[in-house]
Amino acid sequence: MSEHEVTLTINGESVTRPVEARTLLVHFIREDLSLTGTHIGCDTTSCGACTVLVCGKPVKSCTMFAVQANGAEIETIENLAAAGTLHPLQEGFWEKHGLQCGYCTPGMIMSAKGFLADNPDPTEDEIRHGISGNLCRCTGYNKIVEAIQYAAEKLQAADAGGE
Amino acid sequence: MIPAAFDYHSPQSLDEALSLLQRHAGDAKILAGGQSLIPAMRFRLAMPSILIDINQLNDLRYIEERADYLAIGAMTLEHSLEDSPVVRSSYPLLRDTAVVIADPLVRNMATVGGNIAHADPANDHPATMLAYRATVVAKGPKGERTIAIDDFFTGLFENAMAEDEILTEIRIPKPSANSGGAYTKLERKVGDYAISAAAVQLRLDGSKVAEARIGLTNVSAVPMRAKAAEAELVGKSISDAVMEATGKAAAGECDPSPDLRGGVDYKRDITRVMVKRSIQQAVARAKGGK
Amino acid sequence: MPQLDDRKEHHSELAEGVSARVPTTDEVQIKTPEKICGMGHRKKRKEDPRFIQGKGNYVDDVKLPGMLYMDIVRSPYAHAKINSIDASAALEMDGVLAVITGEDLKAAGDLHWMPTLMSDTQMVLPIDKVVYYAQEVCAVIATSRYIAADAIEQVFVDYEPLDAVVDPFEAMKDKVIVRDDKEEKTNHIWHWEAGDKAATDSVFNDAATIVKEKMYIPRIHVSSIETCGMVANYNKVREHMQIYMTSQAPHAHRTVFALVSGIPEHKIQIISPDIGGGFGGKVPVYPGYVICAVASLVTGKPVKWIEDRSENLQADSFARDYHIEAEMAADKDGKISGLRVKTLSDCGAADAAANPSKFPAGLYSICTGSYDMKAAHVEVDGVYTTKPPGGVAYRCSFRVTEAVHMIERMTDIMAHELGEDPADYRLRNFIRPDQFPYTSPTGWEYDSGNYEGALNKAMDMLDYRALREEQKEKRAKGELMGIGISSFTEVVGAGPSKDYDILGIKMFDSAEIRIHPTGKAMARFGTKSQGQGHETTYAQIIAEQLGLPADDIEVEEGDTDTAPYGLGTYASRSTPTAGAAAVMAARKIKAKAKKIAAHLLEVGDDDLEWNVDRFQVKGSPDQAKTIQEIAFAAYTNHPQGMEAGLEAVDYYDPPNLTFPFGSYICVVDIDKGTGEVKIRRFVAVDDCGHIINPMIVEGQIEGGLTMGLAPAMFEEIVYDEHGQNLTGTFADYLVPTAVESPKWELGKTITPSPHHPIGAKGVGESPTVGAPPAIANAVVDALWHLGVRHIDIPITPPKVWKLLRDAGVTD
Ligand SMILES: Cc1cc2nc3c(=O)[nH]c(=O)nc-3n(C[C@H](O)[C@H](O)[C@H](O)COP(=O)(O)OP(=O)(O)OC[C@H]3O[C@@H](n4cnc5c(N)ncnc54)[C@H](O)[C@@H]3O)c2cc1C
Ligand code: FES
Ligand code: FES
């Protein structure tokens, strides 16, 4: 039943908190840090509603202990428009109707963010496989794929534009 | 679904991890990617009282080609296998396997060592490592030893390591010329554990199969090699009839259980098909195909 | 009666009277400019900014000071006597405040039983026995989620297992009685019939061809990605219960809570915040909700209960579970002449469906579908088994999916049997456009339709004839390719108060619009969006009517303290009912606005005409008052004798249901080695009448198609012979990902509803209803020449493989 002090960077801000060893990262984010944009949809690491970036990589925060994130950099959905403008993925999801109930959306967007960092110019099939760890019950995925394509184009254009 | 309480340790070196493991032998579990262990803990199917998290052991994350083998550090992420140029160019069977394990998010956490150490017949790496004739390196208080993969899997979720040993490396012999391998997996949906899957690694000598090893996934209680099938293949010229006979032999020697993935007859027959398809692809690769 | 007048005024644009034929078009009508964004605009959703930034507010996001957590002990048996419950160890744990058992609820005023929405009863917590696996047995209240989870492990229940009865046909034999609390010791719950038996028998006597088939529509689960949950917050001083819950029908739930708990209804506030998908799963009242509310009452503190996925999959309402035996008759010309159907409905341990009271089998008698036939007769029997209760929804609550699957399969079987092309066969059996309004043999009055228009369009979209040629060539080579069609008729928008009620509450719905002095508006509804985009579509409906920019209209739902009473959102009823109420309320406002405009312009009412966003003097459009000017005047300069303000409420009682329809075509290729079915193309032509926001409608259809694909190929709740759920997690209950879900290709026709004030019909469920038979028909089409007539869904590789092996064609 060990308790630990965890220091990590969340959305650019350093925080230190005591946690019980068994605290799941997703509960730490949602309850200890009150960042409720990250959701929970299953018990079996199947749905991806809890996806966050840990040191830039999208992972399922329900299948990691908060203590394991000691020293890590974590990014959640709340950070994407922190500067005041929507991230191209957020724009894409809005523009292309990539969400309905919105419950899977933060996980989808974070997953797509990690995916596009690895594969900036994906085919449709690669996008579908890229988000295969994230379930959406509402949209039928067509429009999520379009939203990610929209963001990919926009991010690439920005890359090409800015030296 | 909340795990039971435990004590947590995060050793900074392998030696520290080993001494912790020795001190708590029996009560402690190694936490690698956690993608098998944490779900089991959430359902309280696993309730270790001590967790030794080896994620700080970055020394165990590498993919290196050495003189005659490929060395993969136990903590290497599945995702790194997908990305690795050497895996892509020279170990197509391994790459085939890595990309069909779970989903991209799980692959960002899950480790190759964990996949093998877990000794789950439903996991994909065991069959692949069996086909590759890999060697497992384990380190314990008495030092390091190597275990041939054929001796590694001893039971359902059981392996040949002692309780105080840590799996540190997997070694895959460098494939010789005219070799090829492939992994074919049938799943109910993407990212699922296999209904059945076959790993084939073979070497051609002209039109004949000089060597072949076949590993099967999720059709036995313990990860298995299809030795009868191998016997059907080795020494023969590749033909539809030979592949069919090989597939049939694998179907005969595997020992699947009926479950939601299908009945015994189905799983056997699909094993036949998976083996055939893997051979076809492996042969194409041995001949210089993609 | 201003409503009726309004309705007539509107219909005159379309056709004469309520029941005339309406023409079909392809183009979405847009009558307002972009800045107003009325109907037909692809307006980006107003609700999205919060969701894409992680600022949605779902039940589990609600955190109240001093909040406690509840976790539930569940039965490991499907049927067992409870000898005792020992919670002493749990109660001794630090942080555990209470353990609530059935006895406690009984003592609190017989709260251990509750009514279901079907007027049956269901246990909240058991006293003496459990009747399904994972049934709630008792609940632990603790200071944290983690402690509650530890504590449920420390409650020891002594069970005495009884025989389970999992198969409904076995249950009908009454060897094991599930509900021995009932006076009649039988598992048979009800028998229900529709249609004319004698006429049907006579049609079958005269038939030239009869085809028969048995089919099972398996038990499935909605599995919205958000599970169910509640935060109950009882204030002892105010004697007031505030409840946040995952509710698709907050008003109905408030009434049920008031009736069950005895707390006066005005002292209960139900807030349904953002809902992470509903699809019918958040219509029922689950035991967990009641226990959670009781826990707050008992402790005087806020209590949160959030289901795990496993609890959600194992104990919440399921859908379908219909065992069907169908016969179809055709005359000597091969025309469909009659349909005879017997069905056994496995209701689980309680009939907890959310059907209108008079319809224990929902709207299943819509099962003659899109085809004109002489007679039909349908019988359904409901039966108890030791499985979780329900018969609720999966994006279609009223058994239309089962009906459509059956009729579309039977029509395909008949076509194949007669050696006719399934498309041509449908075209010659459809109810023709000139037959609307059409009265079906089971008594439905279909409002409007153009079935051949939709099918022809779908056939054009994928060049049907060329595919049939390709199929011929492939078959000659031994390859398996199939083309499947489903030309479904849906029935939604329940419903007219003379026939439709839930627990006696009539199935109207409501809207309230208030226009503020500066011309901005607030609109509230009795429905509750779970992703359908009500904040946007309702605003567009009102924008269309009143000329206020949709962005100036704030839409609010889900808080019973502020919203007008309504029956909620399910069964694709929001647009047909609350959408219509919005139109009616807007028209009431418009009538008043006209008087104010006349006063401002110093002309008579009759001198004015409406133009998009203003009343103008006929013949001199410069003389006009915009809706914003009128709104300001309504508070600052309204005519003497008129009430100030500009607002209206409407409770809309629809005159009929609406009947959306469509034609779907699916093309599949089958892997002869593995039995895998690959969907190569899927074209969906939908007709849901007038379209409010095409983008949202497309989203509804695509989402519905994936939810149709799911039971067709992947999802099924499976029990073993002891009644244990084998598919209790997402590892085994296979919700499709973006990889399984094909790229849907959509098309549309528009045949307005003649009786709906804006000609809309509702769309959310059509694709879930229409898709499964298209897929099943495609697979059977690929295999018919091998002697295959039918495959039950889900069509999984092992099932197909077995058929291939029996036919000797496996690779
Ligand atoms: C949704 C989902 C789908 C999946 N699908 C697949 C799939 O299709 N195919 C597949 O192969 N796998 C699949 N997995 C399993 C995944 O690959 C696991 O991550 C893997 O089996 C274990 O690796 P890990 O690093 O996560 O190990 P952990 O979960 O951390 O550990 C697993 C076990 O191995 C032990 N262990 C780990 N590392 C060591 C070591 N170095 N030395 C000694 N003991 C060690 C642990 O103590 C534990 O008992 C899936 C997992 C999930 C959640
Ligand atoms: S909550 Fe479902 S994967 Fe994390
Ligand atoms: S938008 Fe509802 S789950 Fe994806």
Side-chain angles (χ1 to χ4, degrees), chain B residues 1-4 43-44 47 186-190 192 260-262 265-266 269-270 272-274 276-277, chain C residues 146 149-150 153 308 310 671 673-674 676 714 726-727 729 731-732 734-735 737 739-740 797-798 801 805 811:
Chain B
M1 291 285 147
I2 311 289
F43 280 84
R44 303 199 177 194
M47 293 201 273
L186 182 67
E187 40 192 19
R188 294 175 300 175
K189 71 172 200 176
V190 69
D192 187 23
L260 293 169
R261 290 183 170 77
D265 289 354
Y266 177 65
D269 198 51
I270 293 312
R272 173 184 67 87
V273 174
M274 294 297 107
K276 275 168 61 177
R277 290 183 183 177
Chain C
Y146 282 51
D150 290 342
E153 308 266 304
D308 288 338
S310 330
D671 183 329
T674 59
E676 281 172 289
F714 299 98
L726 302 177
T727 45
T729 71
D732 284 312
L734 305 175
V735 173
T737 72
V739 174
E740 286 74 46
W801 170 85
R805 194 191 54 172
D811 263 352

Side-chain angles (χ1 to χ4, degrees), chain A residues 39-50 60-63 133, chain B residues 42:
Chain A
H39 297 149
I40 300 173
C42 73
D43 331 311
T44 46
T45 321
S46 309
C47 77
C50 60
K60 293 173 171 175
S61 64
C62 69
T63 313
Chain B
R42 294 186 68 186

